């Protein structure tokens, strides 16, 4: 199920799927046309969704995306530990 289309973009993952044992999976897709790079952006909602121990959270890192020729490369991350680095902040007037 393409959750981000069906239920909205705020659930923290893009796809709800089930494995062969009917266990629910939450899949986030990160895509870029550029070549592979270790870093990619992730939202606060995505981080929170990844902490839910009831469902495996899997990141599909799609890169070298060539839409015209329908070609790409993919790395799949499940159960990985990542270092989060703050690169952007929102400023509000006090």
């Amino acid at each position: 199920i393409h959750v981000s289309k069906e239920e909205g973009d705020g659930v923290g993952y893009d796809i709800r799927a089930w494995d062969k044992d009917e266990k629910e999976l939450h899949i986030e897709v990160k895509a870029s046309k550029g070549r592979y790079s270790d870093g990619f952006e992730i939202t606060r909602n995505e981080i929170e969704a990844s902490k839910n121990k009831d469902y495996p959270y899997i990141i599909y890192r799609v890169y070298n995306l060539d839409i015209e020729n329908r070609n790409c490369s993919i790395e799949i991350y499940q159960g990985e530990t990542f270092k989060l680095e703050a690169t952007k902040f929102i400023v509000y007037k006090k």
Side-chain angles (χ1 to χ4, degrees):
I1 298 171
H2 194 167
V3 176
S4 56
K5 271 190 174 177
E6 302 284 326
E7 298 176 23
D9 212 18
V11 295
Y13 55 93
D14 296 315
I15 299 167
R16 182 180 301 125
W18 289 264
D19 66 14
K20 62 182 175 159
D21 298 321
E22 298 185 24
K23 182 171 175 110
E24 187 172 320
L25 310 171
H26 294 173
I27 300 170
E28 174 61 25
V29 179
K30 296 294 181 184
S32 67
K33 291 181 179 178
R35 39 177 240 190
Y36 179 79
S37 107
D38 193 26
F40 52 87
E41 290 187 12
I42 191 165
T43 67
R44 182 183 308 253
N45 282 348
E46 292 162 354
I47 291 169
E48 291 305 313
S50 75
K51 293 177 182 178
N52 185 338
K53 301 299 180 197
D54 294 333
Y55 309 102
Y57 191 86
I58 304 165
I59 298 174
Y60 278 58
R61 179 69 175 96
V62 179
Y63 58 100
N64 291 331
L65 181 59
D66 181 351
I67 296 170
E68 186 176 308
N69 294 308
R70 304 183 96 176
N71 194 25
C72 68
S73 301
I74 299 174
E75 290 281 332
I76 300 172
Y77 302 110
Q78 182 175 358
E80 307 284 337
T81 302
F82 293 100
K83 173 185 152 199
L84 298 177
E85 181 178 315
T87 60
K88 186 167 136 181
F89 296 90
I90 298 175
V91 178
Y92 296 98
K93 188 175 177 182
K94 288 185 178 181

